[in-house]
Amino acid sequence: MQVLPPALEQLVEQLARLPGIGKKTATRLALNILRRPQAQAQELSRALAMLHQSIRLCANCFTFSETDPCAICGNSRRNSSVVCVVEQSADLLAIEKTASFQGVYHVLHGVLAPIDGIGPDELKIKELRQRVVAGGITEIIIATSSTVPGEATASYLLDLLQKEPVNLSRIACGIPMGMDIKYADKYTLARAIERRYSPA
Ligand SMILES: [Zn+2]
């Protein structure tokens, strides 16, 4: 039995395709959009329509950008010899928010996931190698997540690039700031002990 009018049902279906949004949340969002002034729904639809027209990938680091090169690659104050490799543009934004990194990035657009058919060719790995081979890079920081696919991708990249004349490093992971160590899970704690550092 059709409960929602078809136009609403269609919107629910589209919203429910987004990650983290089930049918229930999609219905709540669709009803919320319907209750708002029509102009707001039009603004939303205009923004969606513009998305693919105005945003492209930076040809250097492959982040989403309205300009090519992106604002980071095009900024002469950034240190282009240090490249931080991230999974997604969202990770780049998270690191940018820390204001602690002055280098540039390389966005892989995913992680290796053989079960889902995502191998090295599906990611921007060949492009990373080309950037390294082209020269001018002294350090590569692998900042993929500390999940199983994130670690597998990091190992793959470290293997791939180990013969290149660049310093390779992996971002540290350990106990979150302000956390009592007895509440840390054993894997995090083991890693924190294994990769300890001496505060000089
Ligand atoms: Zn860029």
Side-chain angles (χ1 to χ4, degrees):
M1 190 185 74
Q2 183 97 39
V3 183
L4 294 174
L8 203 52
E9 185 68 50
Q10 222 175 350
L11 179 59
V12 170
E13 253 174 55
Q14 294 303 323
L15 290 171
R17 286 180 169 187
L18 297 170
I21 297 189
K23 198 93 194 245
K24 218 163 143 184
T25 308
T27 307
R28 194 163 51 80
L29 288 172
L31 288 169
N32 188 290
I33 293 167
L34 190 60
R35 270 197 299 271
R36 288 163 184 268
Q38 193 178 350
Q40 275 187 25
Q42 278 164 350
E43 257 171 58
L44 177 65
S45 95
R46 250 199 311 274
L48 287 172
M50 284 297 293
L51 203 58
H52 282 278
Q53 280 174 33
S54 59
I55 296 183
R56 65 192 96 186
L57 295 181
C58 168
N60 191 47
C61 72
F62 300 96
T63 193
F64 291 118
S65 173
E66 281 198 14
T67 56
D68 183 16
C70 70
I72 295 171
C73 291
N75 183 345
S76 58
R77 284 187 302 246
R78 304 287 298 224
N79 181 356
S80 60
S81 68
V82 181
V83 177
C84 180
V85 180
V86 293
E87 293 172 18
Q88 303 288 356
S89 288
D91 303 326
L92 177 158
L93 294 175
I95 296 173
E96 280 299 287
K97 273 192 196 149
T98 69
S100 60
F101 180 64
Q102 298 308 314
V104 294
Y105 295 90
H106 188 90
V107 182
L108 296 171
H109 289 273
V111 278
L112 295 173
I115 296 169
D116 300 323
I118 301 174
D121 292 345
E122 275 67 46
L123 307 175
K124 302 287 182 196
I125 288 181
K126 191 169 72 248
E127 291 80 352
L128 174 63
R129 185 125 201 282
Q130 281 165 357
R131 277 179 82 178
V132 173
V133 171
I137 295 174
T138 56
E139 186 179 355
I140 302 261
I141 303 166
I142 313 281
T144 52
S145 307
S146 60
T147 55
V148 173
E151 294 288 358
T153 308
S155 299
Y156 181 88
L157 293 176
L158 291 169
D159 264 9
L160 181 80
L161 299 171
Q162 67 166 341
K163 289 202 180 78
E164 304 297 337
V166 287
N167 288 320
L168 292 171
S169 58
R170 174 89 173 100
I171 50 162
C173 80
I175 310 300
M177 295 284 281
M179 187 190 205
D180 191 322
I181 66 162
K182 64 177 168 287
Y183 299 124
D185 68 89
K186 64 178 180 181
Y187 302 103
T188 304
L189 198 48
R191 178 71 68 90
I193 291 170
E194 195 184 294
R195 299 194 182 172
R196 66 195 177 274
Y197 69 98
S198 33

